[in-house]
């Protein structure tokens, strides 16, 4: 068996790119511990300056230096914000021109949305516990000004606690960003279209829109619906859309599933508002999940940024045009 050394992290064979988007990954060992090691495919530090002109090499170096500084600050902030259920980034380093992160390897239970929705227990105790745990983890990130950016079923691991209950561990911060510095290039915007918010679609399709914390809230609303119903929501009209955002931008109304408990219907509906300004904040979600009585005026998203307000305006223009045909034109969504 061939072993590869990545800055002291030893991998049997080499890292692979299966279902990893913009990266390669593998299980590594270092100092007797196992880690999940990921290599980013870009950017690549220009180690061999002879491959470039002097101005090109300098431009690439400066870009990589900014990238390193941004990632170091981002990962440091994520670790500081972790409540124990956001898996920590142990290491971020450069090796042979490529950038890597190392995280502890987590032993997890495998469950589908259908598995979780079918778990028995009075008043959906287990499902509600999962929602509370996950919501608190994302709330902590938002309190620190960070957007996870790629919340989906595969990026939430399940572990059994000592008392037998399932709890969550949030992973994969590859697409995380500071809300104050959102992505500007749709080509670098990685996402799972099932969980994509309306403003996320518009940004991916090349519209002049910026994304922020409401992107996470929407994805979490889809996730919560899966936890109770085993599937994403349908629509009142009975129309079948490929994705939730498509129906919402067409002006259709969501129909929350019959298996979702009544005390969760309003919460999920508020998380899946088409308009990011009207969508619940994570602060409101956490308070509602804790059982706090929150008045209607208190659910107003006071965290909405100017970017959110501009996205809201763009969404309303789309809805007024009822131009659903444009959905099929975004090649990145096919």
């Amino acid at each position: 068996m061939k072993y590869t050394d990545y800055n002291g992290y030893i991998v049997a064979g080499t890292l692979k790119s299966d279902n990893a988007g913009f990266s390669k990954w593998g299980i590594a060992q270092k100092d007797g511990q196992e880690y999940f090691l990921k290599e980013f495919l870009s950017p690549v530090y220009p180690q061999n300056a002879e491959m470039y002109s002097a101005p090109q090499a300098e431009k690439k170096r400066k870009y990589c230096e900014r990238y390193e500084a941004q990632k170091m600050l981002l990962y440091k902030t994520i670790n500081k914000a972790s409540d124990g259920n956001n898996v920590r980034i142990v290491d971020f380093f450069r090796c042979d021109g490529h950038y890597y992160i190392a995280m502890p390897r987590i032993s997890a239970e495998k469950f589908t949305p259908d598995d979780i929705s079918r778990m028995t227990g009075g008043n959906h105790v287990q499902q509600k516990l999962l929602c509370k745990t996950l919501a608190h983890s994302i709330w902590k990130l938002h309190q620190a000004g960070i957007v996870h950016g790629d919340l989906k079923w595969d990026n939430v691991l399940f572990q059994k606690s000592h008392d037998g209950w399932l709890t969550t561990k949030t992973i994969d911060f590859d697409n995380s960003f500071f809300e104050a510095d959102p992505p500007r290039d749709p080509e670098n915007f990685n996402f799972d279209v099932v969980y994509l918010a309306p403003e996320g679609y518009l940004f991916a399709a090349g519209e002049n829109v910026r994304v922020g914390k409401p992107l996470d809230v929407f994805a979490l609303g889809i996730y919560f619906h899966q936890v109770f119903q085993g599937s994403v929501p349908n629509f009142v009209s009975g129309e079948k859309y490929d994705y939730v955002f498509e129906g919402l931008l067409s002006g259709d109304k969501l129909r929350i599933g019959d298996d979702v408990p009544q005390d969760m219907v309003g919460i999920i509906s508020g998380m899946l508002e088409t308009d990011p300004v009207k969508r619940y904040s994570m602060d409101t979600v956490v308070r509602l999940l804790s059982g706090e009585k929150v008045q209607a005026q208190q659910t107003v998203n006071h965290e909405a940024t100017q970017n959110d307000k501009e996205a809201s305006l763009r969404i309303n223009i789309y809805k007024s045009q009822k131009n659903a045909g444009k959905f099929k034109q975004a090649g990145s969504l096919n």
Side-chain angles (χ1 to χ4, degrees), residues 21-314:
F22 300 115
S23 60
K24 297 180 181 180
W25 65 275
I27 303 303
Q29 288 199 346
K30 183 176 183 180
D31 300 330
Q33 302 292 321
E34 283 195 324
Y35 296 91
F36 180 85
L37 185 67
K38 182 174 286 188
E39 173 191 311
F40 299 109
L41 300 183
S42 66
V44 179
Y45 191 87
Q47 293 196 129
N48 186 357
E50 296 177 357
M51 294 177 60
Y52 312 95
S53 67
Q56 285 178 322
E58 182 64 15
K59 183 178 179 181
K60 287 180 177 290
R61 272 194 295 269
K62 286 184 176 180
Y63 178 85
C64 287
E65 287 167 2
R66 288 196 301 271
Y67 173 83
E68 288 181 37
Q70 290 168 351
K71 287 295 185 183
M72 288 292 286
L73 178 59
L74 179 69
Y75 294 148
K76 180 179 179 180
T77 308
I78 288 172
N79 285 345
K80 189 174 180 181
S82 177
D83 59 358
N85 292 308
N86 288 323
V87 179
R88 296 172 64 85
I89 296 94
V90 174
D91 205 357
F92 172 68
F93 60 92
R94 188 177 78 228
C95 179
D96 294 332
H98 287 280
Y99 292 95
Y100 299 82
I101 58 169
M103 306 173 76
R105 185 182 186 184
I106 304 296
S107 298
E109 306 274 342
K110 294 283 188 181
F111 294 104
T112 66
D114 195 52
D115 293 333
I116 296 294
S117 68
R118 291 175 181 273
M119 287 184 174
T120 58
N123 201 29
H124 301 88
V125 174
Q126 175 61 90
Q127 289 91 338
K128 289 180 180 179
L129 177 61
L130 292 175
C131 291
K132 288 179 181 179
T133 305
L134 183 53
H136 189 268
S137 297
I138 304 308
W139 175 73
K140 290 287 288 182
L141 291 178
H142 284 197
Q143 289 291 99
I146 291 173
V147 180
H148 183 283
D150 193 21
L151 287 171
K152 58 185 179 182
W153 197 264
D154 289 345
N155 284 345
V156 179
L157 304 182
F158 298 104
Q159 277 192 322
K160 276 192 176 178
S161 61
H162 296 302
D163 54 11
W165 293 102
L166 284 179
T167 188
T168 63
K169 296 285 186 181
T170 311
I171 61 170
D172 202 342
F173 301 99
D174 297 4
N175 302 296
S176 299
F177 56 91
F178 286 105
E179 187 176 41
D181 187 22
R184 283 167 166 68
D185 184 357
E187 292 297 319
N188 297 326
F189 181 51
N190 196 17
F191 55 86
D192 187 316
V193 69
V194 172
Y195 301 85
L196 189 62
E199 68 274 17
Y201 163 75
L202 294 183
F203 175 66
E207 295 289 338
N208 186 22
V209 171
R210 294 287 178 264
V211 293
K213 293 175 184 176
L215 190 77
D216 282 349
V217 178
F218 190 90
L220 213 56
I222 299 287
Y223 187 99
F224 285 2
H225 194 277
Q226 290 178 305
V227 164
F228 294 102
Q229 189 70 29
S231 62
V232 303
N234 291 316
F235 286 85
V236 171
S237 69
E239 182 77 24
K240 298 296 183 183
Y241 300 95
D242 291 333
Y243 309 111
V244 174
F245 74 80
E246 184 180 356
L248 292 174
L249 285 175
S250 297
D252 213 338
K253 300 294 184 183
L254 281 175
R255 181 184 182 279
I256 302 299
D258 294 335
D259 291 337
V260 176
Q262 195 58 42
D263 59 345
M264 288 297 300
V265 170
I267 297 174
I268 292 174
S269 296
M271 297 172 75
L272 295 178
E273 273 282 351
T274 309
D275 187 333
V277 173
K278 295 179 180 177
R279 203 173 299 154
Y280 285 170
S281 67
M282 282 310 304
D283 185 69
T284 295
V285 172
V286 167
R287 290 165 64 194
L288 289 170
L289 287 173
S290 71
E292 185 177 336
K293 299 297 183 184
V294 180
Q295 301 299 319
Q297 63 269 25
Q298 294 177 300
T299 65
V300 174
N301 185 1
H302 297 293
E303 298 178 19
T305 65
Q306 186 59 37
N307 284 339
D308 297 332
K309 293 173 184 177
E310 291 174 4
S312 170
L313 177 62
R314 182 64 61 182

